[in-house]
Amino acid sequence: MTTDSRYLVHRVEQETRADGTMLLRSGYQMSTPARVTGDWLHRWTEEAPDRVFIAERSGAGWRELAYAEVLEQVRAIGAALVGRGLGADTPILVMSGNGVDHGLLALAAQYVGIPLVPVAEQYALIHGAHGRLKHAVELVKPRMIYADDAARYAEALALPEIAALERLVSVNAEPGMVAFDELLKGDSGVDIDTVHAEIGPDTVAKYLLTSGSTSTPKAVITTHGMMCANQAQLLDALPFLGTKPPRIVDWLPWNHVFGGSHNFNMMLANGGSIYIDDGKPTPALIDRTLENLTMKAGTIWFNVPVGFGMVVDAMKSDEALRRSVFSELDMIFYAGASLPQDVWAAMEEMAIEVRGALPLMTSSWGLTETAPATMLQHEPTDRSGIVGVPLTGVTTKLIPDEDMRCEVRVKGPNIMPGYFEDPAKTEEAFDDEGFFITGDAMVFVDAGDINKGMKFDGRISEDFKLQTGTWVRAAGLRMEALKLLDGIASDLVITGADRKEIGLLIFPNMGALKKAGFEEDAADGALIGEHLKREIRHRLAERAGQTSGSASLITRALVLSEPPSMGDGEMTAKGNLNFRKVLTRRAEMLERLYDNADPAVITLKDS
């Protein structure tokens, strides 16, 4: 392999079929993966027993557990779970967020072959979202439920569907619940070595629920083999992971494949350390994140673009934070959306100031069904939005349209075997060659050089046709509209399927509107303040003057007064809109959007 100390140079092999379909593969061979995740834990307990693996905030400092401690506790918990009769057919559902005990339980379950089902903590903490929690319970039929704090999760723990199960809690246990400390006593009647030896690459490690952004959440079967293969693929592409133990200060939730499989396992596979950030990129919790980042310096920084933006804003006037963040930083890794170029440039400038060198700034592409990383930009680039090239062991099938926008399908050792107890959806998910049909679209950065990688270009399922037969690329148009309506829209839905014109259903950013002094008059589910309507009309009209063609011309908008409902499935746990659910639940508002006589509707015809 051609490498330097940080990355693998892109080398892509391409096969083009007679029908135009392209197959892309890495030009490098995939390394041999670990057999099961427990192999990583054993390796680093032998090689670095006193190195911190996992930590969380405790008072003014951190509760830290080293590899040897973690393995000892994982084996005890695993034996206790087996002794209580749990196994491959009795999943454990976790409804609280990231924490040391959550991590220990996850590793213990994997160690003895019990599937873990982490779900978004919002499902338990938000009364209106309990239906999502009940759906998860009905879908995977767990034997045990875990929550870190019985008092905080009291309402959810009291639900009849939950109360009928074995309820495991770390603190504030009530009668009838199992205290987490009880599991740490182990079970001398269980031969833990024999139990662990019986699991293998095909053993289920997790059932991960899809976000539900396009349909009802499905449970993705995630095996040890998938997760181990993905970490081997990532190490192939990023050899620096094997030369210095990585360390992260990370908030990304473990119910999502990025935080819980990609980031968590990257630390475990490479003998690294994960410090759990109990903050988040929200106004209420960002200060906690800034405190944590000042206390601990990571070598890799994972975040979503809005999170990077908030920290960058703070670092501009906080030299101590800036030096802590960049002092040992080898890689900046964004996901979820493209990183704004001004944030990218600011981080480059700060890195040069602090270290005199740039970290690798990158992103990748994948889904819950792909464990997740399948494509990765693993050599330096100077711009955001590129998801790179196939990882080792992956074959990417690209089906281009007339504009060379490609539907993406993938095959490899990190791809799921199917959805739990849903053979129909599983069959629909794969084509006749066994490629997973992702539903995503991509375009080449440079059609003349496939080694420059690819850019994500939306979901095929989000595209629609106007009555004229013109295709509308909704994902790209939505991002453009959000930028246009910055300070007004927190999110929006592109409309126009089988209609003459493209429209917007806008969820307003109420905090920004108040700050800007816009009126907030509401009537019949819509905001009707004249100042707000004039501003939106003005921005749409300005854009219309620079737009040609009906495929991207937005001619009407309606500002909704009711925020998206997680309980009704309009919003996923990741904060993404389920566009179909919004359009279905708000069918009346959609019809109003195309009624020129409705006084709440904003149209260019009025400008």
Side-chain angles (χ1 to χ4, degrees):
M1 294 184 180
T2 304
T3 68
D4 73 2
S5 62
R6 295 190 304 167
Y7 61 86
L8 192 67
V9 175
H10 290 180
R11 184 193 296 168
V12 181
E13 297 176 349
Q14 178 178 347
E15 172 189 343
T16 303
R17 295 174 173 174
D19 64 357
T21 297
M22 291 171 280
L23 300 179
L24 303 186
R25 302 180 183 89
S26 171
Y28 303 99
Q29 290 295 312
M30 179 180 159
S31 301
T32 302
R35 187 181 68 92
V36 294
T37 61
D39 290 357
W40 296 326
L41 192 51
H42 277 278
R43 174 190 173 184
W44 295 110
T45 296
E46 293 174 6
E47 296 184 21
D50 298 325
R51 183 184 301 155
V52 172
F53 166 57
I54 191 167
E56 66 186 359
R57 285 298 301 272
S58 178
W62 298 86
R63 173 194 176 193
E64 300 176 321
L65 290 185
Y67 275 93
E69 296 173 281
V70 170
L71 178 58
E72 180 182 7
Q73 293 187 30
V74 161
R75 285 168 60 85
I77 295 166
L81 292 172
V82 172
R84 301 177 81 88
L86 278 78
D89 298 325
T90 56
I92 300 171
L93 189 142
V94 176
M95 63 183 186
S96 55
N98 303 0
V100 167
D101 286 355
H102 179 169
L104 293 172
L105 180 63
L107 290 173
Q110 292 173 30
Y111 198 85
V112 297
I114 302 169
L116 198 81
V117 190
V119 301
E121 61 179 340
Q122 297 97 311
Y123 293 172
L125 293 175
I126 299 173
H127 179 81
H130 285 172
R132 310 285 272 188
L133 179 61
K134 294 174 183 177
H135 169 77
V137 170
E138 181 180 350
L139 179 62
V140 300
K141 300 176 178 60
R143 159 84 173 273
M144 176 181 281
I145 298 282
Y146 170 72
D148 55 16
D149 186 339
R152 186 171 185 232
Y153 292 88
E155 184 180 1
L157 287 167
L159 293 171
E161 296 85 352
I162 304 296
L165 304 172
E166 198 164 9
R167 294 171 294 171
L168 174 69
V169 298
S170 290
V171 297
N172 295 317
E174 296 183 355
M177 298 180 182
V178 179
F180 192 85
D181 286 348
E182 285 296 309
L183 301 187
L184 292 173
K185 298 175 183 178
D187 189 321
S188 59
V190 174
D191 184 344
I192 190 67
D193 292 320
T194 298
V195 174
H196 180 60
E198 289 175 351
I199 70 170
D202 294 331
T203 301
V204 177
K206 305 178 186 179
Y207 297 127
L208 286 176
L209 269 60
T210 58
S211 65
S213 58
T214 58
S215 64
T216 301
K218 301 178 287 291
V220 174
I221 300 170
T222 305
T223 66
H224 283 259
M226 290 168 61
M227 297 197 301
C228 291
N230 206 218
Q231 291 304 319
Q233 293 165 325
L234 288 164
L235 181 57
D236 286 342
L238 304 169
F240 76 85
L241 292 170
T243 62
K244 180 178 73 174
R247 181 172 60 254
I248 58 176
V249 183
D250 196 39
W251 67 271
L252 289 155
W254 294 346
N255 66 283
H256 183 234
V257 69
F258 183 30
S261 293
H262 187 283
N263 299 0
F264 187 98
N265 286 343
M266 184 180 285
M267 297 307 103
L268 181 61
N270 297 288
S273 305
I274 178 167
Y275 283 80
I276 299 167
D277 172 18
D278 54 351
K280 281 186 176 66
T282 66
L285 294 173
I286 189 62
D287 285 346
R288 184 67 164 184
T289 287
L290 300 178
E291 179 182 331
N292 292 333
L293 290 172
T294 303
M295 294 172 68
K296 286 292 177 181
T299 63
I300 300 173
W301 188 10
F302 294 110
N303 216 325
V304 294
V306 66
F308 281 121
M310 295 176 82
V311 179
V312 164
D313 284 345
M315 287 193 293
K316 290 175 181 176
S317 58
D318 189 333
E319 182 180 357
L321 174 63
R322 193 162 63 244
R323 293 198 171 278
S324 178
V325 167
F326 286 101
S327 61
E328 301 181 61
L329 201 59
D330 294 318
M331 182 169 71
I332 294 172
F333 193 113
Y334 64 91
S338 292
L339 188 67
Q341 200 63 36
D342 62 328
V343 177
W344 176 292
M347 289 197 290
E348 284 189 329
E349 183 179 331
M350 292 174 186
I352 293 295
E353 174 199 339
V354 174
R355 293 197 67 185
L358 292 176
L360 179 64
M361 298 178 66
T362 191
S363 187
S364 72
W365 169 84
L367 303 123
T368 308
E369 292 89 342
T370 65
T374 301
M375 300 181 74
L376 173 69
Q377 178 67 25
H378 51 76
E379 65 178 30
T381 183
D382 60 358
R383 67 184 116 161
S384 175
I386 304 174
V387 298
V389 299
L391 289 171
T392 55
V394 170
T395 301
T396 302
K397 179 195 283 189
L398 302 174
I399 304 172
D401 63 16
E402 63 274 10
D403 299 319
M404 289 303 293
R405 182 178 189 250
C406 301
E407 179 195 342
V408 184
R409 303 181 181 187
V410 291
K411 181 188 290 187
N414 56 308
I415 311 302
M416 69 165 188
Y419 298 111
F420 177 63
E421 292 194 348
D422 198 337
K425 289 292 184 184
T426 298
E427 184 176 2
E428 291 174 9
F430 294 90
D431 68 15
D432 56 4
E433 292 185 295
F435 283 87
F436 174 62
I437 303 169
T438 70
D440 283 354
M442 292 191 190
V443 295
F444 287 103
V445 173
D446 181 347
D449 185 357
I450 59 174
N451 285 305
K452 293 288 180 63
M454 304 198 77
K455 296 189 296 184
F456 178 73
D457 198 45
R459 295 279 298 169
I460 298 291
S461 61
E462 293 174 13
D463 296 346
F464 59 81
K465 281 185 178 181
L466 298 171
Q467 282 184 3
T468 58
T470 301
W471 275 105
V472 175
R473 309 301 191 197
L477 188 58
R478 174 175 166 274
M479 296 306 297
E480 187 180 342
L482 281 170
K483 185 175 181 180
L484 177 73
L485 297 175
D486 182 44
I488 292 175
S490 64
D491 214 331
L492 54 82
V493 177
I494 302 289
T495 71
D498 298 322
R499 297 180 185 270
K500 294 180 181 179
E501 303 171 57
I502 299 171
L504 302 177
L505 289 177
I506 299 171
F507 290 103
N509 183 334
M510 298 304 294
L513 291 181
K514 288 179 182 178
K515 191 172 181 181
F518 286 107
E519 307 108 16
E520 300 171 29
D521 299 334
D524 300 323
L527 295 188
I528 57 173
E530 287 303 319
H531 182 194
L532 176 60
K533 290 173 63 179
R534 281 197 303 272
E535 179 64 22
I536 294 173
R537 186 181 298 115
H538 171 70
R539 296 191 194 187
L540 291 179
E542 269 200 339
R543 179 184 178 277
Q546 305 164 4
T547 301
S548 61
S550 59
S552 59
L553 179 62
I554 301 169
T555 63
R556 57 187 57 245
L558 185 65
V559 185
L560 306 174
S561 61
E562 180 196 352
S565 167
M566 181 178 289
D568 289 322
E570 290 186 316
M571 177 179 284
T572 73
K574 291 189 292 182
N576 299 329
L577 289 182
N578 181 327
F579 304 119
R580 292 180 184 174
K581 189 70 74 172
V582 170
L583 293 174
T584 300
R585 183 171 179 264
R586 300 176 192 249
E588 181 182 348
M589 303 303 288
L590 178 62
E591 291 303 318
R592 288 181 61 186
L593 175 62
Y594 288 89
D595 181 359
N596 291 330
D598 192 311
V601 175
I602 304 157
T603 72
L604 291 185
K605 295 174 183 178
D606 300 329
S607 60

